[in-house]
């Protein structure tokens, strides 16, 4: 798959093929047990390089954020504009139905009425009806000393409870440090941290806000945040695929 040239429909079909190759029962179990799950080699090294190279071309993006200006950490990222690059748009469309099944199960267990439609286009229509029309997929860039504070990517009243980040750089070669970190705040208990090891092209799906945990008296909610530890050397690029749009 190339970044732009094959067209949106072909990109979705190609993405659906690679997404279907994962064991989604196991991934759903990992998401339910730990709040995150890794899809190894979702992107090829060439695709990772092609996406990372987009960062310097402002025509692909709607906005540019310097984290330090907002207290988000240190580093920067750019939000893509519509239409998304074919590869990223195709993956967003193909990943959504698999994750929607998990999200609907979670909401049922947590007693949340919201249910998510089977197709991403239908969910985006719901976002747009609520005034959330700005695309949220983003490309992040870190250099030595940069980090991303623990946070949640909500962007509006309607937020899909799972998202995906894909590492575009090779740890130990392109950069050191910069680990993906997920924390889980449990009621009346100390918080739990999960450090997720990734290689170039690997994707991690993870909870945006809450997930259910089964206890002795039924399911209860835990609150999650994610971030990136301090980069020690080199340069690190990541693409984030968020499924709801922003106000």
């Amino acid at each position: 798959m190339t970044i732009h040239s094959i067209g949106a429909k072909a990109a979705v079909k190609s993405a659906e093929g690679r997404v279907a190759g994962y064991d989604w029962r196991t991934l759903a179990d990992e998401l339910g047990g730990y709040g995150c799950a890794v899809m190894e080699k979702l992107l090829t090294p060439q695709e990772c390089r092609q996406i990372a190279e987009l960062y310097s071309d402002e025509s692909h993006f709607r906005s540019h954020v310097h984290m330090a200006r907002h207290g988000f950490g240190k580093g920067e990222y750019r939000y893509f504009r519509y239409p998304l690059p074919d590869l990223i748009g195709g993956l967003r469309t193909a990943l959504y139905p698999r994750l929607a099944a998990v999200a609907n199960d979670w909401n049922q267990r947590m007693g949340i009425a919201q249910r998510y439609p089977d197709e991403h286009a239908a969910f985006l229509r719901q976002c747009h009806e609520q005034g959330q029309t700005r695309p949220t997929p983003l490309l992040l860039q870190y250099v030595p000393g940069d980090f991303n504070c623990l946070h949640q990517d909500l962007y509006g009243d309607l937020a899909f409870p799972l998202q995906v980040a894909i590492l575009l750089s090779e740890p130990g070669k392109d950069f050191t440090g910069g680990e993906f970190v997920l924390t889980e705040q449990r009621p009346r208990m100390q918080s739990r941290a999960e450090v997720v090891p990734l290689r170039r092209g690997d994707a991690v799906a993870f909870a945006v806000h809450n997930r259910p945990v089964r206890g002795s008296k039924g399911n209860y909610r835990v609150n999650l945040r994610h971030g990136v530890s301090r980069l020690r050397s080199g340069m690190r690029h990541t693409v984030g695929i968020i499924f709801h749009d922003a106000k």
Side-chain angles (χ1 to χ4, degrees), residues 85-98:
D86 291 339
L87 174 57
I88 295 169
L91 286 172
R92 195 185 193 207
T93 300
L95 286 164
Y96 170 86
R98 305 283 181 166

Side-chain angles (χ1 to χ4, degrees), residues 9-24:
K9 290 184 178 180
V12 170
K13 186 174 181 179
S14 176
E16 286 174 344
R18 73 173 77 185
V19 167
Y22 292 97
D23 181 347
W24 281 94

